[in-house]
Amino acid sequence: FSAAAYVIYLNATGCELDKVVEAADAQLARIGGRVHVAVFQAVQERQIAQALAGRTTGPLNFSDATYDEERDLAYIAATPNHSQIAYHYRSKVQIHYLYRDYEGAMAWAEKGVPLLPSVESQVGEWQFVFYYALAAAARAGQSEGEARERLLDTARGILEKFRQWAVRCEANFAHRRDLIAAEILRVSGEGDAAAAFEIALAAAEARGWLHDIALAHELTAAYHCGKGDAAAGLRHAQRAVECYTRWGAHAKANDVRSWAGIAAGTASTA
């Protein structure tokens, strides 16, 4: 399992996606099919990298020429391997969130929440709840009334968890804490979201993980576009594209170009 864990940590820390795929293939050869859950885990990390790079059959799908999502990944849900099921749901929450399918991300999150005890204190736990919090905040922005408040309460509860984790390990959790906080302020309107996004950006840049820097710039771009500041939105969107491209997430970079109107030289989110 340590061979697969190596790939998990590469992905979690924003290693270039081509290197993640290369490492996954190398570790799968080392595992040699002997430990099924380790095979699953390495394939899972490989395929989310492939999806973000644009090498799967669709942005929300983990199938490519080598692996089939239903055959090689989704089958895990019918097994008693709760930890691996949680990791699979983590990946689905992440990919749906990143492509702005917030309803879909929340549906996968709701499936995964009961399984979180199986990945407690693992990388999979904080990855899952990070995207869960962001999806809840984003979905709250699309909702009204009690549903909106419930979603914001979910995001706030996870924010408190990240605050506690950041006390123990600021390097791993502070920038993610700050990004969740900024998104909650953006949706709730209860504070200075602009300043919060600047804090989150600075923390992400200081940590140096490409995927989190890219996401921080993308969310900051969306905030400024929503406020009608097209110039600031375009500036941050272009920075997000640069970071996603450096990460190797070419499909995601193209997605940001599309919604930000970069090819047309505008920052419209229409």
Side-chain angles (χ1 to χ4, degrees), residues 210-259:
L210 274 175
H211 59 338
D212 289 341
I213 297 170
L215 180 57
H217 278 286
E218 181 183 2
L219 294 180
T220 303
Y223 167 76
H224 285 297
C225 288
K227 290 294 184 180
D229 189 346
L234 179 59
R235 184 170 64 251
H236 285 290
Q238 288 173 326
R239 178 68 174 137
V241 167
E242 292 169 5
C243 291
Y244 280 129
T245 301
R246 286 174 55 203
W247 185 31
H250 301 293
K252 178 57 188 171
N254 287 336
D255 172 71
V256 175
R257 286 191 184 96
S258 178
W259 74 250

Side-chain angles (χ1 to χ4, degrees), residues 26-37:
Q27 298 307 324
L28 283 163
R30 178 174 293 175
I31 296 165
R34 291 187 296 272
V35 182
H36 291 301
V37 292

Side-chain angles (χ1 to χ4, degrees), residues 7-8 11 17-18 20-25 28 39-74 87-88 90-92 94-95 99 247-249 251:
V7 188
I8 294 172
N11 238 351
L17 294 177
D18 284 349
V20 172
V21 173
E22 180 182 348
D25 288 341
L28 283 163
V39 170
F40 165 85
Q41 202 75 63
V43 172
Q44 178 68 81
E45 302 304 320
R46 181 189 193 276
Q47 294 312 105
I48 193 168
Q50 290 284 80
L52 289 165
R55 296 191 289 257
T56 55
T57 56
L60 303 180
N61 192 284
F62 296 146
S63 297
D64 63 7
T66 306
Y67 295 101
D68 178 81
E69 180 172 348
E70 290 301 316
R71 182 192 67 214
D72 300 310
L73 295 173
Y87 272 93
H88 180 55
R90 169 221 63 183
S91 297
K92 298 301 286 187
Q94 180 182 356
I95 202 74
Y99 284 104
W247 185 31

Side-chain angles (χ1 to χ4, degrees), residues 82-84 86-87 115-126 128:
H82 291 173
S83 177
Q84 281 65 47
Y87 272 93
L115 299 172
L116 282 176
S118 69
V119 292
E120 186 174 2
S121 300
Q122 296 180 32
V123 172
E125 180 188 14
W126 55 261
F128 184 105

Side-chain angles (χ1 to χ4, degrees), residues 145-179:
E146 292 183 3
R148 178 178 181 275
E149 291 309 309
R150 283 196 301 271
L151 289 160
L152 282 172
D153 284 345
T154 294
R156 291 182 182 117
I158 297 172
L159 173 59
E160 182 56 34
K161 187 184 293 285
F162 271 86
R163 284 173 172 154
Q164 295 172 11
W165 287 343
V167 171
R168 303 189 188 100
C169 185
E170 184 175 1
N172 284 352
F173 301 114
H175 65 290
R176 294 184 167 191
R177 171 203 64 199
D178 293 341
L179 194 55

